[in-house]
Amino acid sequence: MSNLDVRPKPVACGGRDDVAGGPVHELLPPRQVPLGESTVVRRLLPSLGRRMVGAWCFVDHYGPDDITDQPGMQVPPHPHIGLQTVSWLHGGEVLHRDSLGSLQTIRPKQLGLMTAGRAISHSEESPRAHSPVLHGAQLWVALPDVHRHTDPRWEFHADLPVVTAPGFTAALLLGDLDGAASPGTTFTPIMGADITLDEGADVRVPVEPDFEYAALTMSGVLDIDGERVEPGSMLYLGCGRRELRVRADEAGGFVLLGGEPFAEKLVMWWNFIARAGEEIAQAREDWMTGDRFGTVHGYDGARLAAPAMPPTPLKPRGRTR
């Protein structure tokens, strides 16, 4: 997934300065952002006051959108460094291509996981013959310094571990939950689970007290730890819990994101995550000159041009404001 903002602002992330040591309720309102020709996403991370949840550093929610007579998602080839992308669908299909030669159609509840590492480029689009509804989330995970120059890779997992209980089903995207472990490669202590609740469900989800968490509601209006959270909104929960109570008067679902607070300070600009502004500038130059990021074959259209660099130096400042 790309940040298609033509004037992206640098975002300083990382550090533990504003990680809540205990449970909190911080509702993160979405920001409407156009993505490609016909898709509008709700951007939840980074936001003005909350930049990361564990290593999760970018969260977009989109749909459900009726794309019966529309092209749907159309994101041209674009570059990434220093992160992983997670593609997650509740409805529709997304065709992934990348500079490694990967070609994969991702469908609901299947995990598309791309590790950018030192450099990769990819495109995402709805296939020409696609379902009438598109609904999903796109997420980024920051790579720690020791792994951020790793070789790029693509993973696709059609079958994920599922945890069940009365009124409750959880598909595990990344990490561990209640004894189940995702096959997706991780580089920091992290977890992500897609949780479906039956009508009238009242459940307690086991969580790690040393992780910080946030819950992104995908469908239905849910009561999460006593807070009403509507679809397309995300509730930051802080740390210090061993279980999370969730109730649903109607059937619904949410994505639970968690992880050990990310201590390293970093800077994120456009589609790049680095530790210094000079690295960002070099990555942009390499993309514009055709170096380093390879070629995405098969996409019908031009690749994205990088925006101009901001006039002020990019510096990693952590979570302090």
Side-chain angles (χ1 to χ4, degrees):
M1 175 64 73
S2 174
N3 179 3
L4 298 188
D5 191 344
V6 297
R7 296 181 181 85
K9 295 180 180 180
V11 180
C13 304
R16 300 176 186 245
D17 295 335
D18 72 344
V19 177
V24 298
H25 292 159
E26 183 180 315
L27 191 62
L28 305 180
R31 179 166 59 94
Q32 302 289 324
V33 178
L35 185 72
E37 299 176 8
S38 58
T39 302
V40 174
V41 301
R42 303 167 193 89
R43 184 147 301 160
L44 296 145
L45 281 183
S47 65
L48 181 62
R50 181 63 52 190
R51 299 180 177 93
M52 298 183 76
V53 178
W56 301 99
C57 60
F58 184 94
V59 176
D60 276 353
H61 174 256
Y62 54 91
D65 294 327
D66 184 350
I67 59 169
T68 304
D69 300 317
Q70 301 180 34
M73 183 180 292
Q74 300 291 319
V75 182
H78 58 277
H80 288 292
I81 62 169
L83 56 87
Q84 293 177 291
T85 67
V86 176
S87 299
W88 188 251
L89 288 171
H90 273 208
E93 307 86 18
V94 170
L95 179 61
H96 166 96
R97 306 175 193 265
D98 63 40
S99 53
L100 302 176
S102 310
L103 177 64
Q104 180 67 58
T105 300
I106 306 167
R107 295 182 170 85
K109 303 303 178 75
Q110 298 178 340
L111 176 63
L113 177 63
M114 187 180 76
T115 300
R118 53 183 169 77
I120 199 170
S121 56
H122 73 139
S123 65
E124 296 155 296
E125 59 186 309
S126 298
R128 290 189 178 182
H130 56 253
S131 301
V133 174
L134 181 64
H135 183 203
Q138 287 279 351
L139 313 106
W140 294 358
V141 179
L143 291 174
D145 189 59
V146 68
H147 293 297
R148 67 190 181 96
H149 298 297
T150 191
D151 290 340
R153 72 181 76 172
W154 165 253
E155 299 176 40
F156 174 70
H157 301 286
D159 298 308
L160 295 170
V162 175
V163 176
T164 60
F168 166 98
T169 302
L172 199 56
L173 283 70
L174 292 178
D176 304 330
L177 177 68
D178 198 30
S182 167
T185 301
T186 58
F187 296 89
T188 60
I190 194 172
M191 69 81 61
D194 185 278
I195 298 174
T196 301
L197 300 171
D198 296 340
E199 181 180 350
D202 186 342
V203 302
R204 297 179 184 271
V205 182
V207 295
E208 296 290 334
D210 293 336
F211 280 17
E212 58 177 341
Y213 288 91
L216 165 64
T217 300
M218 298 292 289
S219 60
V221 179
L222 304 179
D223 181 310
I224 299 177
D225 202 39
E227 291 285 336
R228 175 187 171 94
V229 187
E230 299 186 356
S233 296
M234 189 160 75
L235 181 67
Y236 176 72
L237 294 157
C239 304
R241 292 176 177 80
R242 294 189 179 276
E243 61 180 18
L244 177 67
R245 186 180 184 186
V246 186
R247 295 183 294 171
D249 291 333
E250 57 181 298
F254 69 103
V255 174
L256 181 64
L257 304 174
E260 185 177 284
F262 197 82
E264 298 174 24
K265 295 184 178 181
L266 51 85
V267 60
M268 179 166 65
W269 179 83
W270 196 42
N271 295 299
F272 305 136
I273 291 182
R275 300 304 186 275
E278 293 80 6
E279 296 176 38
I280 297 283
Q282 186 61 59
R284 181 195 180 279
E285 178 68 16
D286 291 344
W287 173 247
M288 294 301 289
T289 58
D291 295 334
R292 180 178 174 187
F293 290 96
T295 302
V296 178
H297 295 286
Y299 183 84
D300 185 15
R303 67 181 197 159
L304 281 180
M309 290 289 292
T312 56
L314 303 182
K315 296 180 179 181
R317 299 184 185 277
R319 294 173 180 260
T320 54
R321 301 172 195 162

